[in-house]
Amino acid sequence: MALDNSTPASPDAEKAEITGYDDSPIKYLTWRTFVLGIIASMGGFIFGYNTGQISGFETMSDFKRRFAEYDEATGEYAFSDVRSGLIVALICIGTMIGALAAAPIADKMGRKFSIAFWSVINVVGIVIQIATTDAWYQVAIGRLVAGLGVGALSSLVPMYQSESSPRQVRGAMVSAFQLFIAFGIFVSYLINYGTKGIDSAASWRIVMGVGFIWPFVLGVGILTLPESPRYAYRCGRVEEARSVLAALYGVSENHRVIAEELQDMEEKLQIERKAGKAGLLEIFTGPRMLYRTILGMTIQALQQLSGANFIFYYGNSIFQSTGISDSYVTQIILGGVNFGITFLGLYIVEHYGRRASLIGGALWMFVCFLVFASVGHFALDRDDPSNTPGAGDVLIVFTCLFICGFATTWGPIAWAITSEMYPARYRATCNGLATASNWLWNFLISFFTPFILSAIDYRFGYVFCACCFAAALIVYFFVCETKGRTLEEIDTMYIMHVKPWKSQEWVMPARAEADFGADKEHAEAAETEKTVQATL
């Protein structure tokens, strides 16, 4: 009998033939996934640009003449604490409302159409602001309306990215949202610097006007992208979900990873259907949902309580100790460091995991604030910082080191964690609550920082120091490792009460059994083949 001299099939090929699935290698990143990440992350850019521009406005001469109050004693225009607080802080109120309102609309309209809708709302807010001539309250109301869009986008964009991204790049994809926040802040600083010398309304209207570009790019761009495959599947559009997943993974629709993800979606969907229609209280009473709802809100609160906003707020005073008195230059330096180092965070989140990165980052920031607060209170001449340049240099170094730690860990990864931990049934609502928690603490820190600093100066840093240490403990004891897992696997991990410190080694039972069965079938087939060959 003639012998078969053809090259033996590889184990993967034999396994694919036996199971009927394509087991070809998966690309780490496809161009479709990259484009989706860039366009969707413009939501983060809008976030950063809207929050970063206002600090420059309040020092522009024309803006002060139109909207500030005239002080006859000094002969200058200045903002009262109340008026300044309303103009600056009302955007935070809007963002909290927008984050909470986004959930029901996203569940009805879908993820991508909701993102387009809230982009339009943001444009309306810009129109209200730019149309005013001398009514300060119109600027405040415009920022409130713009904040509705910013808050909704800060909830929807990470959720859309998380639901759409292949598991191997999901952390980096969602973390890109924070990268674009930093980018938006940095760009707003640069444009403020470029227009500060204009002695007319153009100084601030140009900055506002440029703000039209970003929601236009997002609103139009998102319409060219596919709907979230998980949202499509839950709406009964199974083939659409399969096609989108295959395109984003860069594999055939018959690939094993696509079949596994669709199977996981179906299993979760059937469980949800048996449970009936979800009520609002189920975000607290559903399977392990009280734990996850509180944890998500805590993680987002701790991102603010890390002290990042305090650093940016107090940055001008810190840099004055080295002779840099131009607040615009200070902002550009801090914004540039924040933006540039966030790129490293995209690498860290996927190569070192969520838990290790967050714990390491929290301890890094703990040390930075410990030095910062101690040197600022005990060594710096706060009446005339130029008398203690050495202490000033230490503060600058540890300010930049802190930003490095925040921008590579808690800045981007907090968004990834909270977008991953909830099941599809409650994802929109819980993500909205977590985002609202972020904006609430953003508002509280921004509003109360001046009063606290006047009372306890740099010792305020010890508060953030303690929060950073607490953050490390909370992550260690309560946050599961989600790197490389599907959203459905993450849901199962929390429901099964997997110990967070053992979560990295956890294997999903159904998947383990399936792999064991496939391997056993493959081994039996190989043994049969050997028997046939021996007989021949």
Side-chain angles (χ1 to χ4, degrees), residues 70-88:
Y70 184 73
D71 188 341
E72 294 184 356
T74 61
E76 297 180 352
Y77 288 90
F79 285 97
S80 65
D81 290 339
V82 173
R83 185 171 297 189
S84 176
L86 287 172
I87 291 175
V88 173

Side-chain angles (χ1 to χ4, degrees), residues 30-218:
T30 65
W31 69 267
R32 287 185 178 87
T33 303
F34 179 78
V35 171
L36 182 146
I38 294 295
I39 293 177
S41 291
M42 286 304 300
F45 192 98
I46 295 169
F47 180 153
Y49 192 83
N50 276 268
T51 54
Q53 64 182 359
I54 192 63
S55 59
F57 290 170
E58 291 195 325
T59 58
M60 292 178 177
S61 56
D62 184 81
F63 193 84
K64 288 194 291 185
R65 281 197 302 269
R66 292 172 183 271
F67 306 117
E69 297 165 289
Y70 184 73
D71 188 341
E72 294 184 356
T74 61
E76 297 180 352
Y77 288 90
F79 285 97
S80 65
D81 290 339
V82 173
R83 185 171 297 189
S84 176
L86 287 172
I87 291 175
V88 173
L90 269 182
I91 192 172
C92 294
I93 303 299
T95 53
M96 284 187 284
I97 298 172
L100 295 173
I105 295 176
D107 285 338
K108 293 289 185 184
M109 293 177 59
R111 305 331 190 200
K112 77 170 190 175
F113 290 110
S114 297
I115 290 173
F117 169 76
W118 289 107
S119 297
V120 174
I121 298 299
N122 182 253
V123 169
V124 172
I126 298 173
V127 170
I128 294 173
Q129 294 176 73
I130 205 170
T132 186
T133 55
D134 56 8
W136 69 268
Y137 50 84
Q138 187 171 335
V139 176
I141 293 172
R143 284 177 62 77
L144 174 68
V145 175
L148 295 174
V150 173
L153 292 174
S154 62
S155 173
L156 294 175
V157 169
M159 180 171 63
Y160 173 75
Q161 292 172 314
S162 180
E163 290 184 343
S164 303
S165 302
R167 68 183 78 172
Q168 71 273 11
V169 295
R170 188 180 60 244
M173 190 70 65
V174 179
S175 295
F177 181 76
Q178 176 67 27
L179 173 67
F180 273 68
I181 292 175
F183 189 27
I185 293 173
F186 184 51
V187 169
S188 72
Y189 288 168
L190 291 174
I191 298 176
N192 275 340
Y193 183 76
T195 63
K196 67 172 184 173
I198 302 175
D199 192 20
S200 69
S203 60
W204 51 275
R205 279 189 170 139
I206 288 175
V207 185
M208 286 185 182
V210 171
F212 284 116
I213 298 174
W214 323 127
F216 177 80
V217 171
L218 176 62

Side-chain angles (χ1 to χ4, degrees), residues 437-452:
S437 172
N438 183 294
W439 282 107
L440 173 63
W441 284 99
N442 188 325
F443 167 75
L444 292 174
I445 292 172
S446 299
F447 186 81
F448 287 109
T449 288
F451 302 101
I452 297 174

Side-chain angles (χ1 to χ4, degrees), residues 4 17 115 186 192 196 203 208-209 218 226 239 295 321 347 407 413 418 425 465 467:
D4 184 0
E17 184 178 350
I115 290 173
F186 184 51
N192 275 340
K196 67 172 184 173
S203 60
M208 286 185 182
L218 176 62
E239 291 307 312
L295 180 59
S321 64
Y347 174 86
I413 299 175
T418 55
R425 183 180 179 88
C465 183
C467 289

Side-chain angles (χ1 to χ4, degrees), residues 107 234 271-279 282-283 422-429:
D107 285 338
R234 289 172 59 78
I271 293 173
E272 291 176 14
R273 285 174 175 168
K274 290 179 182 178
K277 187 177 180 180
E282 281 194 35
I283 63 173
Y422 310 115
R425 183 180 179 88
Y426 318 107
R427 187 171 296 132
T429 302

